[in-house]
Amino acid sequence: DAGVIQSPRHEVTEMGQEVTLRCKPISGHNSLFWYRQTMMRGLELLIYFNNNVPIDDSGMPEDRFSAKMPNASFSTLKIQPSEPRDSAVYFCASTERQSSYEQYFGPGTRLTVT
Amino acid sequence: GDSVTQMEGPVTLSEEAFLTINCTYTATGYPSLFWYVQYPGEGLQLLLKATKADDKGSNKGFEATYRKETTSFHLEKGSVQVSDSAVYFCALSPGGTSYGKLTFGQGTILTVHP
């Protein structure tokens, strides 16, 4: 299995631009999680889905952030407009079933907003 | 709400030294407990887990025991190696209908010198 796939691995953009991060979970996994990691705030859960339905988006920092999961094999996290304080590493993770405890993480997308 | 507190880092050790990273938690009910490890430039990966009181999780020479009376899940290794240098995260899952959601501690950076 290829594991969780994220793209791009690195993204550098200017303030005000739209950024779209992509995630392909492991086939057969039905829960998907988006995290943000920074030195100051550590690892933060932004939003998670179960069977493509958003369950909890209370971690999304503000309306500039949105996430979708149109099908079981694809999810996006969009930031519009981006700001320098959004610079972070964004991780996607998936789990096999509702009661599963092990989350499988992707390699992350390092976002830099200048 | 649920929370996880880890000892402050960074932790710096010489090769073959004994390692302890403290972790305590606050949760209702009977959570499952985990240690995840993040190597440089990678996503998190599960190191070990324990799903009920007095269980001991172990992997790659690391161990942690689920202590309900002290609400703790301290990570230990008898003899660390340079390759163990990484960031270690303690986490809990409340189980039930949590969809695999995890609450993470802030992470502890471990550096092992030859």
Side-chain angles (χ1 to χ4, degrees), chain A residues 26-90:
Chain A
I26 293 173
S27 178
H29 285 196
N30 58 10
S31 288
L32 183 141
F33 304 79
W34 281 102
Y35 293 91
R36 177 172 68 178
Q37 185 177 39
T38 61
M39 289 294 292
M40 291 298 294
R41 295 186 297 272
L43 191 66
E44 303 172 278
L45 176 64
L46 300 177
I47 184 172
Y48 68 100
F49 297 82
N50 181 257
N51 291 328
N52 313 334
V53 176
I55 302 300
D56 184 352
D57 65 355
S58 60
M60 297 285 263
E62 49 199 273
D63 291 345
R64 297 185 297 106
F65 285 68
S66 62
K68 295 182 179 179
M69 192 165 185
N71 57 61
S73 59
F74 184 66
S75 177
T76 59
L77 178 68
K78 184 178 293 186
I79 308 172
Q80 166 63 20
S82 58
E83 297 182 2
R85 60 193 169 117
D86 301 330
S87 297
V89 180
Y90 291 81

